[in-house]
Amino acid sequence: MNVRNEELDLHESAIASHHWTLSIGSERRPGRGNALPTLNPSTSRLLAEVASASADDVDDAVSAAVLAAQQWGERSPLDRARLVRDLADVLESHAEELAWLDTLDAGLPLWMMRVDVATGLQRMRMFSDFALGLTGQTIPASAGGVHLTFPRPFGVVARIIPFNHPFMFAASKLAAPLMAGNAVILKPSEQTPLSALRLGELAQGVLPDGVLSVLHGGPPVGERMVRNEAVRRIAFTGSHIVGREIQRIGAESGVKHISLELGGKNAMIVFDDADMEAAVAGAVKGMNFAFVGQSCGSTSRILLHRSVAERFTELFVKAVDDLRVGAPWESDVQVGPMVDAAARQRVEGFIERASAAGAVRLTADRQLPDDGGFVAPTVFRGVDPRSELGQEEVFGPVVSLFTFTEESEAIALANDVRYGLTASVWTNDLSRSFRMARALEAGYIWINDTSTHFPGVPFGGTKLSGAGREESIDELLSYTETTAVNVVMAR
Ligand code: NAD
């Protein structure tokens, strides 16, 4: 047995023997709902059975949050910032444990999960640094009067997150609503709950009671959170199907402020003047193969100027074929399994249907374990842009190559999808880069880069990719409502 396998056994038995609980108010308590299994997608072995929240658990968390929010919202922003930083410090002292939890729970490479944990903590600290950005305005609206605004927290914020960055999203997405003065109820994906539940446990005693609750469970738990009348602000990251469902449920239970970070079918456009080797490296990075393509921002459609298509394709296909697929705890592995066998089957369905429709698969076949979520990184050309693979988010390691001649053709192809999250343009022509940035229907655009999220730069999508912006001061302010005060002076 090599050292890594011994470490693997240690971490798996620590998970199996851990007393997994929900964090509600001042308590760590086992959920009173159904137990849900969470599996290691590399081996399909059971990691743990964790009881989900019952409807009463959800309502208890909301009641505790309502109480806690009153005092939390009255603390000074710098005071809240200190406690959010304290939480980041405590989590950092458990960084290795948290990275292993995500590697085993989600199948993502350990080296990548170490980066994810660090990024989550960096974003928490970024929002604590934004503390003094919670300001209002004064408006000279009348002669002699004083007209001013101040931001007011909503009270209770529900945060529902997906499976693909389990800890990073749990940590980073609670920071802005907390900093804005709200209490937060966080629900991780039922597919990858462990690191968020651990976060909830570690936060007890750092944050005041009730300021953060962490629940576990699937759609019924999320729905109950959205329906509760005391929850007036919901922030959701996930698929557009569930995002739209949340808008519907929210509308049935009040007037709710809902922001949505949803999927993408993102285009990377390579012009003939681009640095070709950098573009190929950018395409590999942009597909987020370390996440097996399970990333909302993945550049899964690559649009190539006809004159460079052949050279780019040759280099890119070789780079994808060279990726090392294997167990995510091995240090040299670049691509692990997808989150579960069902995700693998879904992606294989896309591949089979595209092949049957005449698309040409350029990457080599690989021998991969039948168990769990392993699927080969795959590049196609000859995909009909209006076909299923040309239009729909695969959320897996499947890339389609297209060609164009005119800039206008590239813009039309890039925009001809229902999504609008990211886009990437490769050119050394400054005027063209800005023309493209204005023409592309996407919320986050890179020129000569892919995938990088820059701290403080608003991230979010248009069209089916969402509503709202995160990772920035815009996100912080989105967790407040504006109160306006008009002072009329005595004459
Ligand atoms: P999903 O929509 O299936 O689930 C997301 C979360 O919603 C989970 O916690 C789930 O339990 C919960 N949920 C499901 N049904 C619900 C309901 N009816 N009411 C309330 N909550 C409910 O998404 P997923 O499969 O976990 O994640 C993949 C999707 O997330 C992809 O579409 C991806 O593009 C998107 N995503 C977007 C971003 C972004 O920043 N734009 C980031 C990551 C992932």
Side-chain angles (χ1 to χ4, degrees):
M1 180 185 282
N2 65 34
V3 174
R4 250 315 147 70
N5 282 341
E6 274 171 21
E7 262 185 283
L8 172 66
D9 286 349
L10 267 177
H11 285 282
E12 281 195 337
S13 29
I15 291 172
S17 59
H18 188 80
H19 179 49
W20 293 100
T21 52
L22 319 183
S23 304
I24 296 178
S26 59
E27 285 181 54
R28 283 181 55 185
R29 74 159 85 133
R32 290 175 286 178
N34 296 336
L36 302 176
T38 184
L39 305 179
N40 179 341
S42 310
T43 58
S44 293
R45 277 205 301 263
L46 178 74
L47 288 170
E49 295 254 4
V50 184
S52 60
S54 65
D56 287 343
D57 289 329
V58 176
D59 294 347
D60 288 353
V62 176
S63 302
V66 169
L67 267 181
Q70 289 169 2
Q71 286 194 350
W72 181 247
E74 280 172 11
R75 288 185 179 227
S76 77
L78 286 179
D79 199 17
R80 292 198 292 266
R82 182 177 55 77
L83 290 171
V84 169
R85 269 199 305 275
D86 286 351
L87 177 59
D89 292 346
V90 168
L91 295 171
E92 191 161 53
S93 66
H94 291 263
E96 188 64 6
E97 175 197 351
L98 292 161
W100 267 96
L101 284 178
D102 281 356
T103 287
L104 295 182
D105 206 6
L108 300 168
L110 183 59
W111 59 268
M112 190 72 237
M113 291 306 92
R114 291 181 176 133
V115 175
D116 251 31
V117 170
T119 306
L121 298 177
Q122 182 203 47
R123 289 192 191 160
M124 280 182 83
R125 291 180 174 126
M126 176 183 83
F127 281 110
S128 70
D129 290 343
F130 284 167
L132 298 179
L134 281 169
T135 58
Q137 292 175 286
T138 54
I139 303 137
S142 69
V146 177
H147 306 268
L148 58 89
T149 66
F150 60 86
R152 196 204 294 264
F154 285 95
V156 183
V157 172
R159 255 311 198 172
I160 301 175
I161 57 174
F163 71 81
N164 61 323
H165 290 275
F167 177 80
M168 188 184 98
F169 281 162
S172 59
K173 290 181 184 291
L174 55 77
L178 284 182
M179 278 309 308
N182 302 280
V184 174
I185 298 171
L186 175 76
K187 191 194 87 58
S189 165
E190 65 277 27
Q191 289 171 287
T192 55
L194 300 181
S195 57
L197 290 171
R198 190 75 183 112
L199 181 159
E201 294 171 8
L202 293 167
Q204 296 261 338
V206 180
L207 299 176
D209 293 346
V211 162
L212 174 67
S213 291
V214 183
L215 301 176
H216 170 50
V221 176
E223 279 196 38
R224 187 81 181 189
M225 289 163 66
V226 175
R227 270 192 204 287
N228 192 305
E229 285 184 11
V231 176
R232 293 182 45 246
R233 172 79 170 91
I234 297 137
F236 172 77
T237 306
S239 62
H240 75 86
I241 308 238
V242 175
R244 291 154 80 182
E245 182 66 4
I246 284 175
Q247 285 185 317
R248 187 186 65 74
I249 300 166
E252 284 172 5
S253 50
V255 173
K256 311 251 170 162
H257 296 246
I258 300 177
S259 55
L260 302 171
E261 286 281 349
L262 310 174
K265 188 72 186 175
N266 311 301
M268 165 169 164
I269 303 159
V270 184
F271 284 96
D272 49 356
D273 63 334
D275 174 338
M276 215 41 57
E277 279 172 16
V280 169
V284 174
K285 178 180 163 212
M287 256 319 281
N288 293 296
F289 283 109
F291 292 88
V292 214
Q294 299 167 124
S295 183
C296 54
S298 290
T299 41
S300 56
R301 294 183 300 145
I302 304 183
L303 282 44
L304 302 166
H305 189 272
R306 225 169 273 282
S307 66
V308 294
E310 208 174 307
R311 179 145 167 260
F312 180 99
T313 303
E314 189 186 322
L315 293 173
F316 180 59
V317 169
K318 179 172 182 333
V320 175
D321 275 339
D322 285 348
L323 290 169
R324 285 180 301 281
V325 181
W329 46 86
E330 303 292 348
S331 54
D332 61 346
V333 159
Q334 291 162 298
V335 189
M338 301 200 63
V339 69
D340 58 22
R344 184 196 77 214
Q345 284 154 12
R346 195 178 44 74
V347 172
E348 286 171 350
F350 271 100
I351 293 174
E352 278 157 26
R353 290 188 294 278
S355 302
V360 182
R361 186 176 173 155
L362 301 174
T363 34
D365 259 345
R366 297 180 187 240
Q367 286 297 319
L368 294 171
D370 289 337
D371 260 5
F374 288 100
V375 58
T378 302
V379 180
F380 277 110
R381 88 169 145 215
V383 174
D384 175 353
R386 299 299 304 164
S387 68
E388 179 195 50
L389 183 57
Q391 291 289 312
E392 298 305 326
E393 181 185 44
V394 177
F395 218 55
V398 184
V399 190
S400 305
L401 306 182
F402 302 91
T403 52
F404 66 90
T405 308
E406 301 298 329
E407 189 178 304
S408 56
E409 202 185 339
I411 294 166
L413 256 176
N415 287 345
D416 184 26
V417 288
R418 296 185 299 163
Y419 296 95
L421 190 57
T422 71
S424 162
V425 179
W426 292 75
T427 181
N428 283 312
D429 179 334
L430 187 66
S431 306
R432 174 153 64 197
S433 69
F434 278 102
R435 273 198 310 276
M436 293 297 291
R438 291 175 77 96
L440 289 170
E441 293 167 358
Y444 203 85
I445 297 174
W446 296 278
I447 309 295
N448 297 325
D449 194 9
T450 51
S451 191
T452 316
H453 287 222
F454 293 91
V457 179
F459 184 86
T462 180
K463 295 158 78 178
L464 272 196
S465 293
R469 294 294 179 268
E470 298 196 342
E471 303 174 20
S472 55
I473 200 95
D474 306 42
E475 180 181 355
L476 178 71
L477 293 171
S478 81
Y479 291 106
T480 63
E481 289 182 297
T482 296
T483 298
V485 182
N486 298 281
V487 185
V488 178
M489 298 298 171
R491 286 171 209 279

